[in-house]
Amino acid sequence: MIYSVPDMSCDHCKAAIEAAVAGAGGRATVDLPEKRVTVEGLDPATAQSALTAAGFTPRPLPTT
């Protein structure tokens, strides 16, 4: 699942997202310049909850 996360802006944000997703049992790949996060290993609801719990506002992006 790919999310737009417009409110992440720094390496601290990247680390917080990676830790939150890992804590839920998944893996996050963060693209800071594009403000996108790809989450693997979690269902969409759990991924979104992990990102929200870390203090971010994720928006799912359509997959092609």
Side-chain angles (χ1 to χ4, degrees):
M1 191 79 203
I2 301 172
Y3 296 89
S4 169
V5 186
D7 47 353
M8 70 173 179
S9 60
C10 64
D11 285 333
H12 175 74
C13 296
K14 178 179 185 268
I17 287 170
E18 290 170 341
V21 172
R27 188 178 81 120
T29 303
V30 178
D31 183 342
L32 269 176
E34 295 295 321
K35 297 189 181 285
R36 290 188 184 177
V37 177
T38 302
V39 177
E40 298 172 333
L42 297 175
D43 65 83
T46 302
Q48 185 141 352
S49 292
L51 295 169
T52 301
F56 297 94
T57 310
R59 290 183 290 193
L61 293 174
T63 55
T64 55

